[in-house]
Amino acid sequence: MDVSQLLKGVLDVAVLAVVKDEDGYGYDVLRRLRAAGFDEIGDASVYGTLRRLYLNGSLTSYVVPSDEGPHRKYYAINDAGRTVLEESIKTWRGFADSIDQVLKLNREVAA
Amino acid sequence: MTTTTTTAESDAYLAAVKEQLSDLPEEERTDLLEDLAQHLAEISANREADEPDLTTLLGAPEQYAAELRAAADLPPRTAPVVTKESFVARLGRSGPARLSQKLWRKPYVVQVRDFVPQLRPAWWVLRGYLVIALPAFAAPNSTDDFPVPAVGGSNFLGFWFVVAAVVASVWLGKHPGGKWRRRLIIGANAVLVMFTVGLVSEVDYRMTGGPAFVSAPAVPNYELNSPHGPVTNIFPYAPDGTPLKGILLYDQDGRPLRSEMQHWWADGCERALSFPQAADGVGVEHSYPKSYLLTGANGALACNSQSHTPGVPIPTFSPDPAPEAPSPPDQPEGVAPPAPPEEVAPPGLPQP
């Protein structure tokens, strides 16, 4: 599997997960991801991922007028997005388990 | 929370990112950048005072754009970025230029583009022929010059001149030589084409004996015309000279005769057309004479009243009714207009 594809997939799961319970705008989503420990995550990656998820129908968007500044574009998860998220979580668990297995084997070999 | 308007810093950063995405279709780019301005402004506004500038925070705009492309599933940039835009580059990005570039890459245009160079040898041959034939055609008594031009009065000589010229022309075509020779050839080609076009139109003129193009008659499409121009009103008179009012006019097929609206008046006053109304409230346009009502006077000029007099004396009729237009016996003789012949169809539209 292409590494960039893998990262893209991981980012999809992460972004979908942080808007699962609460809608968010771009900067909001970035903050939530940072708070969850993705310190190194690129702003452009988050912004681009939101855009892509919106285009492929996993997210819907709406604009909230703001008194303080420009209008904000909020992203909300929809049913398609929830399905994608559930599938992705399953895939991720399977993948993570496999990695764990490999690491455990390695440790046993090393030990 | 902090007010999020765009800052000079975020604007500059956005402009740099935009530059990096300049190869994307306009629509896609606009969509992608729709709320990036606000997003960047927010980052710029929300960072702590001791935090570095946007470039340190987000990376170079080039890097940001590349990441954006990767995340949004857009192809990586192919064309090199022109940072300092030259005039030509700006011109190239202008609307018409972009349209022509788009057209230039259309499949059917590409086909033509690929095909045209194949015609080059044919042009070389034609060019050789024209070089000899054109002066022969252009000569005043050029009767025996087609298809083989006569040089010095001899078609035989002309034939060999043409052969030699074609050979020379093809050789030149295959050996374009340096920059200057190529320019010279292009210039000579242009002159040749110009002469050919001129001669063709000349020959056309000679053969048709007049202008090659027949233009459409310069008569505007008015509803009613007289040799003096569009008809804007009709004033019917009874045979005894009494002006008639409210006369309905139809043409030979029963269509109402409408005339042009008169827009300009000799006294400079403005008038509006008013139609008599039928019982159902519809204006009757073909009722004559049409009446124009004054809507505005023009300064010091007095508006003329609308009295109408015929420009020529009204003809006098003999008291006997003309045999081809008998008056109905129950109407006063000479006052009623002649009754229409029986075979005339009634007007095609309902009578108002």
Side-chain angles (χ1 to χ4, degrees), chain A residues 38-58:
Chain A
F38 286 99
D39 293 332
E40 295 297 306
I41 201 161
D43 178 75
S45 299
V46 175
Y47 185 85
T49 302
L50 279 171
R51 180 86 210 149
R52 182 162 44 82
L53 289 173
Y54 167 72
L55 284 181
N56 73 20
S58 302

Side-chain angles (χ1 to χ4, degrees), chain B residues 197-256:
Chain B
V197 170
L199 200 74
V200 165
S201 53
E202 167 72 19
V203 167
D204 197 39
Y205 189 87
R206 271 193 228 163
M207 272 159 49
T208 55
F213 303 102
V214 179
S215 56
V219 178
N221 202 10
Y222 292 122
E223 296 247 12
L224 266 184
N225 267 301
S226 86
H228 311 288
V231 174
T232 59
N233 209 345
I234 296 170
F235 293 88
Y237 285 85
D240 68 347
T242 315
L244 299 174
K245 285 201 164 107
I247 302 295
L248 303 178
L249 294 182
Y250 297 87
D251 72 3
Q252 66 287 344
D253 295 319
R255 288 180 289 250

